[in-house]
Structures are given as structure tokens and as C-alpha cells.
Amino acid sequence: MSEEVIPILRVADAGAAAEWYARLRFAREWEHRFEPGFPLFLAVARGPVRLFLSEHEGDARPDTLIHLKVADLDVVAAEFGVQPQDQPWGRELELTDPDGNRIRISPVEDGEG
């Protein structure tokens, strides 16, 4: 088992957020709710990359920024109808999920991963 860091993103509707993240090719792994009507907490994954999406108010703050490195930057850009921008440090794009969390996306460089 390898070590990992899993960002937790605060969302108003975890089910709807999981559908938005599916456009980034994240798949639902599991979900948990303490009781019916309680806030939903769920995990989505894209290969070895995992995010937790939480409706629990104390788990994370809104307007979080995460950086995601992908092998298919142009495919992601096309899915969202945006163009990657050339920055001094490389190509990237930034998306904002329906809850205001920002996802900065750049390509995996040769030798990474």
C-alpha cells in the first residue's frame, strides 16, 4: 500500500458534484451518509488520483484550489470548451466546479508519473 494525500472539497450537493467531476473522468468509488437525510460524503477517483467530496460544513472551506496533472490536457480542455493557456512554467487551464472550487490542470511532463 502506498501513501497518498486526498484533498477534501466542500460541496453543496455531492451527487451533483460527482457528476461534474465525471466530466474530468473521475468515477464514483464509494459514498457514506451517517443516517438518511444527513450530509453525504463520497470519493471519486481518476486512476490513482482521488478526491473526497463532502457536504459536511466543517470538512473543508469553499473556494479551494487543487492542481491536477493529467495525461490528456487537450481532451479535458475540449470537454469543457476551453483552451489551455501558455504560462512561463508550461501549459495549463483552470476550471471552477459548481461549488466554486478551482481546479488548475496541467499536463504530466515526460518523466513524471
Side-chain angles (χ1 to χ4, degrees), residues 4 24-27 29 44-51 68-69:
E4 65 181 323
L24 284 170
R25 293 172 181 59
F26 279 87
E29 284 192 314
V44 294
R46 176 188 163 117
V49 177
R50 182 172 291 113
L51 297 172
L68 175 64
K69 290 190 154 224

Side-chain angles (χ1 to χ4, degrees), residues 29-104:
E29 284 192 314
W30 53 262
E31 60 183 61
H32 173 73
R33 196 183 298 263
F34 284 104
E35 292 183 24
F38 275 44
L40 180 60
F41 188 97
L42 64 85
V44 294
R46 176 188 163 117
V49 177
R50 182 172 291 113
L51 297 172
F52 288 161
L53 305 175
S54 178
E55 294 176 0
H56 294 268
E57 290 182 18
D59 280 351
R61 66 177 192 83
D63 190 34
T64 296
L65 170 65
I66 62 171
H67 193 130
L68 175 64
K69 290 190 154 224
V70 299
D72 57 352
L73 181 65
D74 292 318
V75 172
V76 170
E79 170 67 28
F80 287 89
V82 298
Q83 291 293 320
Q85 301 299 309
D86 291 322
Q87 304 292 349
W89 51 88
R91 294 175 70 223
E92 68 179 26
L93 61 89
E94 188 167 301
L95 302 172
T96 302
D97 77 11
D99 295 285
N101 297 300
R102 296 174 297 137
I103 317 302
R104 189 167 295 151

